[in-house]
């Protein structure tokens, strides 16, 4: 990679749904041009892997240092690459993705926690190649366990007959189902920026004030949106509820055929070769006495930036790196979850539909489950089924064995089958920080600037969604570009 000074260039920043929130115009960046040899178009993500996973000693200086290769860091790097700004993306682990990772275990694809990709995410539509992800769709609705049996809740636009047949089931009244339709119309009539800055209340208060009955709140909204927010009490801001409700109305719930981790892998594959360093944990950021901060790695090596540093790690890690550099904030505990996976012969599972099952009974520890191989056959070997079970909370002090035994007992009751005990437990994921706590008050359009040459991104600054992480990464990179800097040869 070579860097040469050049004649002035215009660096237009793309419009976005949040552009009205941008700060006043900054002086245009001083001229620079980067010559960089990007990956060949014919190279696939797998063929790039040897280039990406090698971890040589980092150079002592680069234009921009991005800390963390989760969705936010990858989005920031993508925006910098679009302007030919050289950067180094430092990742503490052995692969990209952060919380969005997929493991291969005994021929199964195990996503690290319950994660569903909604195709209507606006930022994701700009950045991702949906066709290449080979997205596999869920049924647009759910089956709710209540009163010892399952009841269907269906999207009336996509599954009209199912919706009509479900009008009289005990998962809410006919009025409740009409209120769902009116909520759909309400959120669809609003632009995203209005939703994300609207007057907010806890989601539970919004539902009650909208007229929803206690029955549909407890039997449907708590397990469904509680599973999305990892928040059974539905204390999460109504802004996030409205944003996700709108995305659900416009798009499909899906899984990439090769696992949720294919999303960050796709973004990484488009970045310049050698721009990501793995197993490179940043332990401190030094922004004193210089307009261009430096980072120190666990190895003791120091990497200096010419333009700035973008912190793109999850909230608890970001707080550690920024300690003493920003005013102290009293954080609410993050949202936690436990996800368990089981395998079975495909002929042994009770259904073959790509549907989400919800616990509307108000009892037990299971919040939701689905048969991943019913959604995407590629999630398991031929003839095998993969079962994903999600719990909300940390379950500290309860062993994996005890959790597994209780989960098996509950699912056996749900499906009235004794052979659930024959399913093979594959793995338990305990995710202490699954999402930031976004109970009111929130600011979902937080300024990414935290100091001279120092920027922050992550879903804690926007909506706690895939899309929010992508938006925050782009906004951090654009703030850095607006602040104006010079790349010297």
């Amino acid at each position: 990679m070579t860097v040469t000074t050049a004649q002035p260039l215009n660096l237009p920043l793309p419009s976005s749904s949040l552009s009205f929130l941008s700060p006043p115009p900054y002086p245009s960046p001083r001229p620079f041009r980067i010559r960089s040899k990007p990956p060949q178009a014919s190279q696939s993500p797998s063929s790039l892997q040897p280039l990406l996973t090698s971890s040589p000693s980092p150079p002592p200086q680069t234009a921009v240092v991005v800390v963390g290769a989760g969705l936010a860091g990858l989005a920031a790097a993508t925006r910098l690459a679009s302007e030919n700004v050289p950067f180094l993306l430092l990742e503490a682990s052995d692969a990209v993705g952060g919380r969005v990772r997929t493991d291969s275990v005994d021929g199964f694809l195990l996503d690290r926690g319950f994660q569903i990709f909604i195709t209507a995410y606006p930022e994701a539509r700009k950045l991702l190649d949906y066709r290449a992800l080979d997205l596999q769709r869920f049924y647009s609705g759910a089956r709710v366990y209540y009163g010892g049996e399952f009841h269907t809740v269906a999207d009336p636009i996509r599954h009209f007959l199912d919706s009509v047949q479900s009008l009289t089931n005990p998962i809410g009244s006919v009025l409740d189902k009409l209120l769902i339709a009116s909520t759909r119309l309400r959120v669809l009539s609003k632009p995203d920026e209005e939703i994300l800055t609207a007057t907010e209340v806890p989601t539970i208060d919004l539902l009650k004030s909208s007229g929803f009955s206690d029955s549909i709140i407890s039997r449907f909204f708590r397990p469904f949106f509680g599973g999305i927010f990892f928040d059974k009490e539905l204390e999460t801001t109504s802004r996030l509820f409205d944003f996700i409700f709108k995305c659900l109305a416009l798009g499909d719930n899906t899984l990439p055929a090769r696992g949720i981790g294919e999303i960050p892998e796709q973004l990484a594959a488009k970045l310049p070769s050698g721009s990501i360093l793995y197993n490179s944990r940043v332990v401190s950021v030094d922004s004193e006495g210089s307009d261009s901060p430096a980072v120190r790695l666990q190895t003791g090596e120091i990497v200096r930036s010419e333009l700035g540093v973008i912190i793109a790690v999850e909230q608890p890690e970001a707080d550690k790196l920024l300690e003493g550099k920003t005013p102290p904030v009293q954080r609410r505990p993050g949202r936690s979850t436990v996800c368990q996976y089981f395998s079975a012969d495909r002929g042994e599972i009770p259904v073959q539909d790509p549907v989400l099952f919800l616990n509307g009974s108000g009892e037990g520890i299971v919040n939701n489950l689905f048969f991943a191989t019913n959604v995407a056959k590629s999630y398991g070997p031929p003839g095998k089924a993969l079962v994903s079970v999600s719990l909300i909370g940390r379950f500290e002090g309860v062993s994996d064995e005890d959790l597994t035994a209780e989960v098996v007992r509950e699912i056996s009751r749900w499906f009235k089958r004794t052979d659930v005990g024959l399913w093979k437990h594959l793995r338990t994921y305990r995710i202490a920080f699954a999402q930031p706590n976004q109970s009111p008050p929130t600011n979902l359009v937080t300024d990414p600037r935290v100091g001279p040459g120092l920027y922050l991104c992550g879903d804690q600054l926007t909506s706690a969604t895939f899309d929010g992480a992508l938006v925050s990464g782009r906004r951090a990179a654009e703030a850095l570009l607006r602040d104006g800097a010079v790349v010297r040869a």
Side-chain angles (χ1 to χ4, degrees):
M1 180 182 294
T2 58
V3 183
T4 58
T5 56
Q7 293 302 310
L9 294 177
N10 246 339
L11 300 179
L13 299 175
S15 61
S16 84
S17 60
L18 299 181
S19 59
F20 81 108
L21 295 160
S22 300
Y26 284 78
S28 297
R30 286 185 242 170
F32 61 89
R33 180 169 62 231
I34 312 299
R35 293 198 190 103
S36 172
K37 185 178 180 182
Q40 296 299 314
S42 61
Q43 289 179 300
S44 66
S46 59
S47 67
L48 290 172
Q49 198 62 21
L51 293 173
L52 294 174
T53 55
S54 59
S55 296
S57 294
Q61 185 160 316
T62 186
V64 180
V65 176
V66 182
V67 182
L71 292 184
L74 290 166
T78 298
R79 185 66 184 93
L80 295 171
S82 74
E83 296 292 349
N84 283 338
V85 176
F87 63 88
L88 193 60
L89 182 52
L90 301 175
E91 169 56 38
S93 71
D94 59 353
V96 297
R99 284 167 276 159
V100 186
R101 293 278 299 272
T102 301
D103 297 319
S104 179
V105 177
D106 296 341
F108 294 92
L109 297 178
L110 309 186
D111 296 334
R112 295 188 182 181
F114 173 61
Q115 301 182 63
I116 291 178
F117 181 74
I118 305 175
T119 57
Y121 284 142
E123 191 77 8
R125 294 175 68 131
K126 300 174 191 174
L127 287 179
L128 297 172
D129 180 348
Y130 284 9
R131 184 182 296 273
L133 289 174
D134 192 12
L135 298 170
Q136 306 294 304
R137 291 185 295 178
F138 281 78
Y139 176 86
S140 295
R143 289 184 189 161
V144 182
Y145 179 72
Y146 173 76
E149 56 185 329
F150 289 103
H151 307 274
T152 297
V153 176
D155 183 328
I157 304 299
R158 297 178 176 92
H159 305 292
F160 178 74
L161 290 179
D162 289 353
S163 178
V164 170
Q165 292 171 0
S166 69
L167 282 175
T168 57
N169 71 25
I171 311 302
S173 64
V174 173
L175 176 59
D176 286 321
K177 285 143 193 179
L178 293 174
L179 286 172
I180 288 177
S182 68
T183 300
R184 184 190 188 111
L185 293 174
R186 177 178 64 80
V187 297
L188 288 175
S189 69
K190 296 180 180 180
D192 294 340
E193 55 267 26
E194 182 179 340
I195 288 174
L196 295 175
T197 56
T199 301
E200 64 177 339
V201 294
T203 292
I204 185 66
D205 291 353
L206 172 68
L207 295 173
K208 289 180 177 180
S209 66
S210 298
F212 287 105
S213 69
D214 289 342
S215 63
I216 198 168
I217 290 174
S218 62
R219 298 168 195 172
F220 174 71
F221 285 111
R222 283 193 191 277
F224 185 74
F225 281 93
I228 293 174
F229 303 149
F230 303 115
D231 168 25
K232 275 190 174 181
E233 303 308 315
L234 298 181
E235 295 173 342
T236 299
T237 174
S238 55
R239 294 169 176 169
L240 190 54
F241 172 86
D242 281 354
F243 176 71
I244 291 178
F245 203 103
K246 179 180 178 180
C247 290
L248 290 169
L250 293 172
D252 293 309
N253 289 338
T254 67
L255 290 174
R258 293 176 297 280
I260 204 74
E262 188 67 13
I263 293 171
E265 290 287 352
Q266 185 183 100
L267 293 172
K270 297 176 183 178
L271 298 177
S273 300
S275 59
I276 306 177
L277 290 184
Y278 294 96
N279 304 307
S280 301
R281 180 175 295 278
V282 172
V283 294
S284 65
V285 179
D286 180 14
S287 58
E288 299 299 326
S290 171
D291 290 336
S292 301
V295 301
R296 182 184 295 275
L297 303 184
Q298 196 170 43
T299 60
E301 295 169 291
I302 295 176
V303 184
R304 302 186 183 281
S305 67
E306 293 185 38
L307 307 185
V309 171
I310 297 176
I311 304 296
V313 295
E314 62 185 30
Q315 188 176 70
E317 294 302 313
D319 288 345
K320 292 177 185 177
L321 290 176
L322 295 174
E323 187 174 2
K325 298 176 177 60
T326 57
V329 177
Q330 186 67 37
R331 298 285 187 203
R332 291 167 292 203
R335 303 300 188 187
S336 303
T337 184
V338 176
C339 181
Q340 290 198 319
Y341 286 100
F342 299 84
S343 69
D345 291 336
R346 283 204 179 163
E348 294 178 354
I349 60 176
V351 296
Q352 302 296 323
D353 301 327
V355 66
L356 182 67
F357 292 87
L358 303 175
N359 184 359
S361 70
E363 301 173 348
I365 63 173
V366 174
N367 185 75
N368 58 269
L369 73 83
F370 68 99
F371 298 90
T373 40
N374 288 357
V375 180
K377 291 183 179 179
S378 48
Y379 265 63
K384 291 293 184 180
L386 178 64
V387 189
S388 172
V389 182
S390 293
L391 322 177
I392 296 176
R394 301 190 68 167
F395 292 89
E396 293 178 292
V398 182
S399 69
D400 288 356
E401 292 77 12
D402 288 344
L403 278 180
T404 301
E406 181 56 32
V407 164
V408 167
R409 280 193 291 270
E410 286 189 29
I411 297 174
S412 297
R413 289 196 297 271
W414 283 20
F415 294 106
K416 300 179 175 64
R417 295 177 66 129
T418 58
D419 58 356
V420 173
L422 300 177
W423 294 355
K424 178 184 176 183
H425 174 245
L426 293 173
R427 184 167 289 185
T428 295
Y429 290 95
R430 292 175 179 264
I431 304 168
F433 187 84
Q435 281 183 16
N437 185 321
Q438 293 198 319
S439 303
T442 65
N443 179 1
L444 304 188
V445 288
T446 304
D447 191 326
R449 299 166 179 83
V450 294
L454 192 57
Y455 306 83
L456 179 65
C457 59
D459 58 358
Q460 70 269 28
L461 275 69
T462 52
S463 64
T465 61
F466 287 172
D467 211 64
L470 295 172
V471 167
S472 73
R474 171 180 56 79
R475 292 180 65 231
E478 290 180 354
L480 181 149
L481 292 171
R482 285 194 190 95
D483 286 348
V486 176
V487 176
R488 297 182 175 86

